[in-house]
Amino acid sequence: MGGITTDLRAGLAFCTRLPVSAPAGARLTDAAWTFPVAGAVVGLIGGAVFTGCAILDLPAFVSATLAVAATALATGCLHEDGLADTADGFGGARSAERAVEIMRDSRTGTYGVVALIVTFLLRIGALASLASAGAVLPALALIGAHAGARGALPLFMRLVPRARDDGLSAGAGKPTEAAAAKAAAIGLVVALLCLGLGVTLLSALLMALALTLLARMAIGKIGGQTGDVLGTAEQTGEVLILLAAAAVL
């Protein structure tokens, strides 16, 4: 039990800005299986906000906007920041050195702003479209999307080489094979329970294609993955799961 609790605290401390600290000696390489659990917690926060807005009879678009904002707040915009940096680096640089330099810059450029606008609108629009079936389905979609997207991250970290020896990804290390397998399994189970077989299968297919493309792009641009690329992978999965839910359900 102590090992599970330690891993959960480490995973929550890494993936969120919730008041949870990683225990001394915790190894994120072992705790990576908890990423989808942390994602489910973030999705639950967003789902609670959406439900509360629905109880207040707020418009679906407003409810979806506040719910997505709540999930971003819960993570400290960790993944959104990675997406913006990756978009700026990959879109605005010709050389790997310049791409890494741009990605390390705390300022956000045009590519990053556009990427954030598009992904926020896609998530908000997908959630708002699900609201016609009531507040429960959007809440479940948020839980499934956040858990499913993070369930793929440890496998992505194992399969795609690191581009640098410093930074967030290097500090996290390479998850163990067991941790990656558990994370993928938990992400799939949560998605199945929340969204059903059809959405889960479609999401898995879309994510496999999109993350393969992202991996090839990252290797070609900067030699592999970084923390920013991992943030982009999470955002990609989250958007695709919500879009699949909106299309099927």
Side-chain angles (χ1 to χ4, degrees), residues 83-143:
L83 170 66
D85 287 343
T86 301
D88 280 335
F90 287 9
R94 294 184 180 274
S95 68
E97 293 77 13
R98 178 58 179 155
V100 171
E101 181 183 350
I102 292 173
M103 292 167 74
R104 284 176 166 172
D105 194 330
S106 60
R107 294 170 295 182
T108 302
T110 303
Y111 286 104
V113 170
V114 171
L116 290 174
I117 291 173
V118 171
T119 54
F120 266 92
L121 285 176
L122 288 174
R123 285 182 287 170
I124 291 168
L127 279 177
S129 72
L130 293 170
S132 60
V136 174
L137 185 55
L140 289 174
L142 280 169
I143 296 171

Side-chain angles (χ1 to χ4, degrees), residues 20 42 67 138 149 153 164 173 219:
V20 178
V42 173
L153 291 185
R164 306 200 314 259
I219 293 171

